[in-house]
Amino acid sequence: MSEALEILFTASFWVAAIRIASPLIFATMGELICERAGVLNLGIEGIMVAGAFSGWFTVYMGGDLWTGVLVAAMTGAMFGLLHGFLTVPLGLSQHVTGIGVTLLASSLTYFSYRILLPEVTSPPKIEPFQPFAVPLLSDIPVLGPALFNQTPLTYLAYFTVAAVALVFYRTPLGVAVRAVGENPAAVEAQGISVTALRIGAVMAGSALMAIGGAFLTMSAFNSFFFEMINGRGWIAIALVVFGSWRPGKALIGAILFAAFDAYQVRLQQITGGVIPYQIFLMMPFVLSIVALVVVARRATYPKALMIPYQKGER
Amino acid sequence: MRLEPRPSSSMAATLLWPAGAILATILLSSLLVMIAGASPFTVFWLVVKGAAGSQFALLETFTRATPLIFTGLAVAVAFRARLWNIGAEAQLYLGAVMTVVLGTGAVALPSAGLIPVIMIAAMLTGALTLLGPAILKTRFGVDEVVTTLLLNFIVLLFVSMLLEGPLKDPTGMGWPQSKRMIADAQLPRLIKGKRLHFGFVLAVVSALIVWVIMKKTTLGYEMRAVGHNAEAARFAGIPVNRVIAKTALLSGGLAALAGFSEVAGLKGNLTLDLSPGYGYTGIVVAMLAMLNPLGVIVAAIFVAGIFVGADAMSRSANVPSYIAQVMVAISLLTMVAAIMLMRYRVRWR
């Protein structure tokens, strides 16, 4: 039993937790931006697949790692544009369209993989982002290496949270985006286009989701596998609800979740096969549902979430 | 731009927009075929031939359509009442689990009694699987989209655990697979020596029954009312939460039948690759059918044809069979757009 507790005090555990949290942070921030603007984006799972592949493939073809991140973000933004166009001006069901975008993005990715790499049997590897120890900060015991001996993409994830919070709460653009998810008619009355604002938010959010996918192929691992996203997108959607649509709370949720995930892997090793490994793998998904039930009562959805807006209508 | 409801449903719009959706799907996938370095004409001809060019091809398409009719019906029923069941995959697998639990020798009955018992038990399993998320939705306000999606992963891991544990076939050379169904528990083949099985008939009959439920019964009326406007339905005295629960039971039961018929009719045992995403493809089938139960039959055969045809095509042309999934995804998006444009007119101003 003490062995199970000791895990929590090792630096390597927290290093792993932050690494597992990083793609979730990107994805959760991405979904949060979409939903705050009033658009549920169920395309997230497929967009992460597309981002994971496009970023990795750019580097595989000789591109720079940061170019890969940029390509992933642009790929995500393109799928965001598609989702935004179908759900905002056309007002199609956000559920069905999102599932469609997920199916399209993932199947297009698998199709491209087969076309671009027809001969490969085992997935080729790239040289991924390497950990970079931030001087001084990484010397703090336990927390130092966990937070500040990570790859640059993890630092970008921290920066993203700060940037999203800053834009949301300190800039006119952020106020407009939040307002468009609460009361689009009021935004339109100010002479701002609801359509442009919402599509823009969905594109920006989708770009972040794609970077979240790219984190897996370019930082956590070094190659692309089918099914590697494995429900992370859906978990990000749960994390947005858990975080009450606030960047800071969502960040804490993502880290807690990742810590739990890192913990179950280690617990699995300690228990040594007495409990079927599937039970441990199930826990993150079960935990997400439990978390949703716990917060559901006091969840305050953006008021215009999933409600299409028509000019001149109230 | 803005959308205006069409004053009356125009015949031309009803026919032209869906036709446009199919045309757009073909054009967009032709582009991909050309990127893959093949001629779209050759490839589509091979797909059509592979799906319907021979008796074998047609039977294969109907066989593949069987689980899609069930999952398509499950989604159509749920979406009609705006219960977003994205978890047909989970309900399918748990239905299949119940099928092998009862069908591998645990229950000894003559075939005419055994098969209905297994079928009803499988349906109940699937029904209860969706009742959970439905109750979380009505009681706690938890979004069923997320819970049903997450349940898919939980259930697949649960099935994997069963197949490596209590349900594992001891003679399976270590593979994670269940024991084979006993002969009395298997659905008969429709034509001797072919793969098409009685599950296809069950699927078509189910579609007819669902059509009657939706069109001719109070429940069907209530489901449509709840789907159209839950607040108004509640105001009119319809017990909304109970209707949602009944919808969940019906939808989950239908999805479970897909698992039942795949195991008892086609595969004979349960493996982890029983369903290549039939639950998710059911959403496409239901949308293509515009949620009409009878339309589901046609849509399922159409989608199954694309899959079967693309498999055959990729063996002779150098285009990956993933093109089928891309086509199905594009057809979903173009079709939902077409349905909107059928009912609304775009005004630019």
Side-chain angles (χ1 to χ4, degrees), chain A residues 42 90-92 95-96 99-100 104 107 114-115 226 230-231 234 237 277-278 282 285 288 296-297 310-311, chain B residues 2-3 36 84 139-140 145-146 149-150 153-154 157-158 160-161 164 320 322 325-326 329-330 332 336 340:
Chain A
L42 291 182
L90 280 185
L92 300 182
H95 287 110
V96 178
I99 293 291
L104 181 67
S107 60
R114 285 274 179 259
I115 297 275
F226 286 27
N230 195 26
W234 312 133
I237 290 182
Y277 68 93
Q278 290 95 342
M282 259 180 227
F285 298 107
S288 301
R297 280 264 183 234
Q310 282 279 302
K311 214 184 226 173
Chain B
R2 51 173 284 131
L3 298 169
W84 303 106
R139 277 283 165 83
F140 300 96
V145 174
V146 189
L149 275 169
L150 292 171
F153 290 84
I154 296 172
L157 285 163
F158 176 66
S160 155
M161 189 174 93
E164 288 177 13
Y322 284 105
Q325 267 143 301
V326 180
I330 297 177
L332 171 63
V336 283
M340 177 63 84

Side-chain angles (χ1 to χ4, degrees), chain A residues 213-292:
Chain A
F215 182 91
L216 292 171
T217 48
M218 299 172 61
S219 182
F221 305 101
N222 55 5
S223 53
F224 175 82
F225 303 96
F226 286 27
E227 319 292 334
M228 78 186 303
I229 301 302
N230 195 26
R232 284 181 174 84
W234 312 133
I235 285 172
I237 290 182
L239 284 171
V240 172
V241 182
F242 181 74
S244 322
W245 291 269
R246 290 171 174 277
K249 281 189 179 175
L251 170 73
I252 294 168
I255 292 175
L256 277 179
F257 178 88
F260 184 83
D261 203 12
Y263 191 68
Q264 61 87 9
V265 175
R266 283 161 176 74
L267 208 57
Q268 208 172 323
Q269 287 156 357
I270 295 181
T271 54
V274 183
I275 304 166
Y277 68 93
Q278 290 95 342
I279 295 278
F280 292 102
L281 294 179
M282 259 180 227
M283 295 320 288
F285 298 107
V286 175
L287 185 74
S288 301
I289 294 182
V290 172
L292 283 178

Side-chain angles (χ1 to χ4, degrees), chain A residues 36-38 175-184 187 193-194 197-198 304:
Chain A
R36 277 315 274 268
V175 173
V177 171
R178 286 188 294 137
V180 89
E182 299 284 340
N183 188 350
V187 174
S193 161
V194 171
L197 213 47
R198 282 190 168 168

